[in-house]
Amino acid sequence: MTEPVVIIGAGINGLVAAADLAARGTPVRVLERGPTAGGAVRTEELTKKGFRHDVAAMNLSMFAGSQFMARHGEEMARHGFALVPISHPFAQALEPGDHIGVTTDLEETLSSFSNEADKETWRNLMAEFPERAGVVGGLLGTPMRRWPLAKFLWKTWRSLGTSKAIEVAQFLISSPRDWLDNTFEDPRLRTALSTWGMHLDFAPDIAGGAIFPYLEAMGGQAMGMVIGKGGADSATRALVSMIESHGGQIECNTEVTRICHTNGKVTGVEANGKIIDTSIILAGLAPKHLSRLAGPTADTRFDKGMEKFRHAPGTMMLHLALDAPVPWLAEPLKKFAYVHIGRSIDTASQTYAQAVAGLLPETPLLVVGQPTLFDPTRAPEGKHTLWVQARVVPAVIKGDAKGEILHKNWDDAKESMADRVLDLIEEQAPGFRATILAQHVVSPEDLEAGNPNLVGGDQICGSHHLTQNFLFRPLRGFADGHTPIKGLHLIGAAAWPGAGTGAASGFFAAQAIK
């Protein structure tokens, strides 16, 4: 191949595709509109010098366990990729002073449960986890193409039998609340696990969301989690180094303005006013931007589907430089990488409904990341960084559910909303505000301005509800990433298997190029 494969976007999927192709001798050019590679997997000094903050993604467990790393992990290590293992992955702060925590020590996890029946259920779930994780993980690692999918389904049926296969299928379409109500007795435990669904746009009562609380809970217990040493950009920097070592090119500050095609075939891209000839493009784009750059195709159903692709509600981020660790009332919370703040499963449902209705939620669900407890290289000695997501918030503000914030634009509302977030942390950790040295607030609009794929501050680039997942991501008939334009393939979080740092869509697309 003399013409390069052109990859639009240097997010994790684009970089993984480029690295795999370059390692196999295929010429690649990665075109990135921003000043640095990485997309949502970047680390920057956002508050004060010496404080390194993960801009979006912090947890690299999916990347560490990815098919790409299984194939290229040794080379990535040679290019400087390093991980920090974490034995205390996540906890839920409930009523102030109360918590449930999942660690790699089974008895330590169970000590935060209040119900003996739930402890026995947890042990049973862990016993069957390897078999079920093999099925669920196998599905998430299968390209949505006819023969790979048929092979997976046949193998699964032969392994499990009809009854168990149907049981797994029912589980895959269950809502978090349905699965949790049928599995555990303690409402505290149901709350703690349901929170994980909100990471992927699954409020407690939305069908198809049970899989995520299950995988995160059991996976956290079995394996813990990992973060990048020095920052999530440990992965990005190693990928860039790997690509360049094999002759690949990464061109930042290079905005693609048109995808060129003739007679239904890709011919090139226009970027910074110049045409780059190619017959293969891997586009790490939100569907609306794919349509904007490519224009109409010969398939009106595809064009309409890209236009109607639905994004999840927005996210607000707070990056904090701290003078000391968070003084949690519940002492064990000082040992966890993630602390979710939310008192009940019903509060989470209410928060989601308010955000979808365009209201600033009264009690946003918080994901509080404490990376410097495990990786002190991210801050000056004795200091800490805090990574806070407020899930979920509206992209466009129509009002405030609490009736306190009158502004309806994010530029004016974000500081007041940040105060609401800090109040929720302070309630769980009195004296917390006194530890803050500096803060950087990022609204949904700011997220999209920095990365247009995060439409409306949607950090997962599209809802994962059942009508937009599996065979329907991003659209029925195109779940393998192909488009009506020959040579143009969609990769990234909008493509199957969706959001996260696993970068499977980029790896799938690269593997399809011989």
Side-chain angles (χ1 to χ4, degrees):
M1 179 182 290
T2 54
E3 292 179 343
V5 173
V6 170
I7 298 171
I8 303 175
I12 191 73
N13 279 279
L15 293 177
V16 157
D20 182 72
L21 287 167
R24 292 190 279 123
T26 301
V28 293
R29 288 181 71 173
V30 184
L31 310 179
E32 167 57 44
R33 68 180 293 276
T36 58
V41 186
R42 302 195 328 274
T43 308
E44 298 177 358
E45 292 184 340
L46 298 173
T47 54
K48 293 172 68 71
K49 185 174 177 58
F51 290 82
R52 304 197 78 234
H53 302 269
D54 289 340
V55 172
M58 183 181 113
N59 181 354
L60 294 185
S61 298
M62 289 178 67
F63 183 71
S66 68
Q67 293 180 42
F68 172 82
M69 282 297 292
R71 179 166 297 187
H72 299 290
E74 291 185 5
E75 182 169 1
M76 284 286 286
R78 292 197 298 272
H79 287 281
F81 182 50
L83 291 167
V84 177
I86 292 173
S87 60
H88 290 65
F90 77 92
Q92 182 86 20
L94 298 152
E95 292 296 323
D98 187 21
H99 86 290
I100 280 182
V102 173
T103 84
T104 55
D105 183 316
L106 179 59
E107 295 307 315
E108 186 177 4
T109 298
L110 296 180
S111 71
S112 66
F113 294 11
S114 63
N115 185 292
E116 290 301 320
D118 287 342
K119 293 180 182 181
E120 185 62 26
T121 297
W122 190 273
R123 289 189 179 96
N124 292 335
L125 286 170
M126 283 304 302
E128 70 175 23
F129 179 61
E131 179 183 64
R132 180 165 285 194
V135 173
V136 176
L139 175 60
L140 295 175
T142 298
M144 286 291 133
R145 297 195 299 270
R146 180 180 302 172
W147 293 116
L149 184 58
K151 182 180 178 181
F152 168 79
L153 293 174
W154 173 255
K155 180 182 177 182
T156 299
W157 178 74
R158 289 291 300 271
S159 172
L160 298 181
T162 300
S163 179
K164 277 193 173 182
I166 291 174
E167 180 186 329
V168 170
Q170 182 181 27
F171 168 69
L172 290 173
I173 63 173
S174 295
S175 72
R177 191 193 296 267
D178 281 344
W179 177 65
L180 292 165
D181 282 354
N182 288 327
T183 305
F184 299 108
E185 296 182 7
D186 185 357
R188 298 164 58 253
L189 183 53
R190 296 174 191 166
T191 296
L193 301 191
S194 70
T195 298
W196 278 107
M198 297 283 276
H199 284 246
L200 286 171
D201 193 33
F202 283 102
D205 298 296
I206 294 177
I211 183 176
F212 302 106
Y214 171 78
L215 286 177
E216 292 293 347
M218 298 298 105
Q221 177 70 78
M223 298 170 285
M225 66 179 278
V226 294
I227 60 176
K229 186 172 180 60
D233 69 343
S234 174
T236 300
R237 288 183 281 109
L239 284 165
V240 169
S241 178
M242 179 177 169
I243 292 163
E244 292 178 342
S245 73
H246 290 287
Q249 300 177 54
I250 300 171
E251 302 168 33
C252 294
N253 296 309
T254 303
E255 183 156 10
V256 173
T257 52
R258 182 164 59 101
I259 293 172
C260 309
H261 51 98
T262 302
N263 298 325
K265 296 180 181 180
V266 160
T267 59
V269 297
E270 182 177 3
N272 288 0
K274 298 180 180 179
I275 300 295
I276 300 171
D277 294 330
T278 184
S279 59
I280 301 177
I281 298 172
L282 306 184
L285 298 169
K288 67 180 281 186
H289 296 306
L290 182 75
S291 294
R292 174 175 59 83
L293 296 181
T297 73
D299 190 323
T300 56
R301 188 178 71 84
F302 176 85
D303 295 344
K304 187 174 182 180
M306 295 297 97
E307 178 187 346
K308 298 293 184 182
F309 185 82
R310 192 174 69 79
H311 283 273
T315 302
M316 191 175 83
M317 298 286 302
L318 274 73
H319 300 285
L320 305 175
L322 304 183
D323 193 38
V326 180
W328 299 103
L329 273 175
E331 192 73 18
L333 295 180
K334 297 175 182 179
K335 299 188 294 183
F336 286 89
Y338 278 161
V339 176
H340 292 141
I341 296 179
R343 294 193 181 189
S344 76
I345 196 169
D346 293 323
T347 301
S349 291
Q350 175 182 281
T351 293
Y352 187 84
Q354 289 171 346
V356 170
L359 303 178
L360 295 170
E362 184 175 354
T363 52
L365 188 146
L366 304 186
V367 187
V368 181
Q370 306 184 104
T372 42
L373 295 182
F374 309 92
D375 181 13
T377 68
R378 297 173 178 227
E381 185 175 356
K383 311 301 181 184
H384 291 271
T385 63
L386 206 67
W387 176 99
V388 184
Q389 285 185 331
R391 292 184 178 271
V392 286
V393 296
V396 178
I397 303 171
K398 296 180 181 178
D400 177 21
K402 205 172 182 180
E404 295 177 346
I405 301 174
L406 302 180
H407 301 294
K408 293 188 178 180
N409 66 81
W410 272 110
D411 282 346
D412 293 328
K414 67 181 182 181
E415 295 298 335
S416 296
M417 194 62 191
D419 283 339
R420 183 171 297 176
V421 168
L422 296 176
D423 286 343
L424 291 171
I425 302 176
E426 182 81 21
E427 186 178 38
Q428 299 284 348
F432 162 68
R433 267 193 167 89
T435 70
I436 300 175
L437 298 172
Q439 70 180 42
H440 179 72
V441 183
V442 186
S443 74
E445 286 185 354
D446 296 331
L447 284 170
E448 184 174 2
N451 183 347
N453 284 340
L454 308 183
V455 178
D458 167 19
Q459 286 197 323
I460 58 175
C461 198
S463 171
H464 287 64
H465 294 180
L466 286 176
T467 54
Q468 205 166 265
N469 207 1
F470 301 106
L471 289 168
F472 306 101
R473 190 166 191 88
L475 181 69
R476 177 177 58 82
F478 297 94
D480 63 350
H482 86 279
T483 73
I485 301 171
K486 185 177 180 181
L488 175 61
H489 302 265
L490 178 67
I491 62 172
W496 169 259
T501 59
S505 69
F507 187 71
F508 291 160
Q511 290 294 295
I513 299 171
K514 305 302 182 184

